[in-house]
Amino acid sequence: MEPREFYIEDRLERYRTNAPCNLGESGIRNLNYGELLRRLEILPEEWNDISLEDSPNRGGAKLREEIAKLYPGIGPEEVLITTGTGEALYILFRLLCEPGSSVSYFYPAFQALYEIPKLCGADLHPVSVLSSFLERKTSFLSSNLIGELFREGKDLAIINHPHNPTGLSLDVNAAEAIQRESIRHSGWILFDEHYRFLDYHNELSWTGAGVNSKSVATGSITKCFGVMGLRIGWMIGPASLIEKARSFKDYLTHTVSPISEFLTLKILQKRKELSERILDDLVCNIQYFESIWKELPGLKDFVSPGGGVVSFIPLKKGINSSEYADLLMNQCGVFVLPGRDFEAEGWIRIGFGETPERFREGIDRWKRLRW
């Protein structure tokens, strides 16, 4: 059995590098090497000490120690460095899913979160957030949806927060609901927390790592800090599971680049200073969009994201999302992803990670779309 086409990737490959206004990405606009070095204040001589031998299979000790600090009660032995969160998720699904496993997730979703469990033979139980999203007009997941997720995912419940593609996040009530449900949940819980550094209210958003003895989490710096090319991710979990994952990793990438590890460590050590500027730009873009979205042709509604970089926007009745995205790119140079690529027709996903200048220019051109 083979996985299906990864729907969003074809359009991303076509437009991500040449769109005048790129709202199709799910991360911050990527930095160039020189700008990253300036922001990190790295001295040229620091590069001389980097060994180009393989990094340890589980990741360098200093990097794992720094990552462990992000998770209360977690030690370096419960951290595994991976090539992006994609590798971490693939390994975890291979270890936690088997034919007939009951797996739940919030729908719509990043395709890998359900495509790989399906490949493993799991029974999928999507829990739709879309009706609640529009009815409640809130940026946060409801306790009812969280309860349904745990009931459906008896073997594995997947919680992606802040959620891609809607931008739904967790407030205090939602976090408390997860903690209550985790007490009586006998299966595994996977927290996909790629946007944890981009919480609009706190330095770090709530994490599910360690919420019970069968909880695991994935994370990364790549989308939040504009460094997708570093391809660094990690998983957090019980030491016994991490050891199994480490062994599985030997059949995949085995190790990550020591240069990527070095830069990731520097980014984490300066994350507060780096995040302040990024969050300021994100909030600026979101506020501008919120002030003007009613002037954009074809949009039905807008709910501001609670965290992360993206939001899912409903189109007016009868509008085909792929046709809309094509026209928007061809007429206005604005790249968005159609809901069809998330198997949810009638919506589009936009990202707020562009520079404020390019974002405003693109939104202003969007107003002139002939639909």
Side-chain angles (χ1 to χ4, degrees):
M1 183 177 179
E2 296 180 1
R4 296 179 298 167
E5 173 192 356
F6 209 132
Y7 296 123
I8 68 171
E9 291 301 325
D10 176 64
R11 192 173 289 263
L12 282 167
E13 282 298 303
R14 276 187 283 156
Y15 298 130
R16 72 186 346 152
T17 60
N18 58 16
C21 179
N22 185 352
L23 309 187
E25 294 284 3
S26 56
I28 301 301
R29 186 171 185 83
N30 289 292
L31 300 172
N32 61 40
Y33 181 64
E35 178 62 23
L36 178 62
L37 295 191
R38 285 192 292 273
R39 293 189 187 186
L40 293 176
E41 299 178 314
I42 295 177
L43 300 175
E45 54 266 29
E46 291 185 73
W47 294 107
N48 297 335
D49 295 329
I50 300 176
S51 171
L52 295 182
E53 64 184 352
D54 275 346
S55 293
N57 174 256
R58 64 179 61 245
K62 289 183 179 179
L63 180 56
R64 288 187 293 110
E65 288 168 5
E66 192 67 30
I67 291 170
K69 296 175 185 177
L70 305 171
Y71 300 89
I74 297 298
E77 71 281 0
E78 298 166 290
V79 179
L80 178 68
I81 307 301
T82 58
T83 302
T85 55
E87 183 180 47
L89 290 169
Y90 183 83
I91 293 172
L92 285 170
F93 289 139
R94 283 297 190 179
L95 293 177
L96 302 181
C97 296
E98 57 187 31
S101 293
S102 176
V103 176
S104 64
Y105 61 96
F106 288 127
Y107 163 86
F110 182 62
Q111 193 172 342
L113 291 181
Y114 58 90
E115 200 70 45
I116 304 305
K118 181 181 178 181
L119 185 67
C120 297
D123 295 330
L124 301 179
H125 301 274
V127 175
S128 178
V129 303
L130 295 182
S131 295
S132 174
F133 184 46
L134 291 181
E135 290 169 4
R136 296 175 70 235
K137 295 289 184 69
T138 178
S139 304
F140 302 103
L141 287 162
S142 72
S143 299
N144 289 338
L145 285 174
I146 290 167
E148 184 179 354
L149 185 82
F150 278 94
R151 286 192 299 274
E152 295 293 337
K154 294 179 176 60
D155 297 302
L156 174 62
I158 303 169
I159 301 176
N160 164 228
H161 74 98
H163 182 250
N164 178 10
T166 65
L168 287 167
S169 192
L170 303 176
D171 59 7
V172 172
N173 292 330
E176 289 177 350
I178 291 172
Q179 290 172 317
R180 287 195 305 271
E181 295 288 346
S182 69
I183 293 172
R184 50 179 176 262
H185 183 67
S186 60
W188 286 91
I189 312 170
L190 168 59
F191 295 90
D192 180 29
E193 301 174 338
H194 207 125
Y195 294 129
R196 187 164 168 247
F197 296 101
L198 296 181
D199 184 295
Y200 306 147
H201 311 286
N202 306 287
E203 183 215 336
L204 284 176
S205 62
W206 181 85
T207 178
V211 72
N212 69 9
S213 62
K214 298 180 77 173
S215 61
V216 293
T218 58
S220 178
I221 44 88
T222 59
K223 291 184 179 181
C224 293
F225 294 97
V227 289
M228 283 294 293
L230 293 186
R231 306 305 306 160
I232 288 281
W234 56 81
M235 70 171 72
I236 308 294
S240 58
L241 179 66
I242 292 296
E243 181 55 31
K244 290 180 181 178
R246 183 212 60 76
S247 179
F248 197 117
K249 186 183 166 194
D250 282 334
Y251 289 99
L252 300 174
T253 59
H254 185 64
T255 66
V256 299
S257 164
I259 296 174
S260 291
E261 281 202 348
F262 170 79
L263 289 171
T264 299
L265 178 61
K266 293 292 187 179
I267 288 169
L268 288 174
Q269 289 171 338
K270 289 183 71 72
R271 65 181 185 275
K272 292 182 181 179
E273 300 94 317
L274 296 173
S275 293
E276 287 177 2
R277 176 174 176 175
I278 291 168
L279 285 167
D280 284 346
D281 287 349
L282 265 179
V283 171
C284 177
N285 288 347
I286 292 168
Q287 289 177 342
Y288 186 69
F289 191 85
E290 197 162 26
S291 73
I292 209 168
W293 74 265
K294 292 181 181 179
E295 301 178 39
L296 305 180
L299 303 191
K300 179 181 178 182
D301 207 343
F302 172 65
V303 178
S304 182
V309 182
V310 298
S311 183
F312 216 40
I313 300 175
L315 298 171
K316 291 179 179 178
K317 186 176 181 180
I319 296 179
N320 178 283
S321 63
S322 295
E323 292 177 4
Y324 188 91
D326 288 343
L327 281 175
L328 187 59
M329 180 64 189
N330 293 334
Q331 291 184 18
C332 308
V334 177
F335 171 39
V336 301
L337 286 180
R340 175 187 172 277
D341 289 351
F342 294 90
E343 304 187 80
E345 185 53 84
W347 300 70
I348 57 171
R349 191 193 76 179
I350 71 167
F352 298 97
E354 265 287 15
T355 63
E357 297 76 18
R358 292 167 67 104
F359 186 86
R360 284 180 176 247
E361 290 172 1
I363 299 302
D364 291 342
R365 292 196 301 272
W366 190 340
K367 289 190 291 185
R368 301 194 294 270
L369 176 69
R370 298 186 304 277
W371 177 257

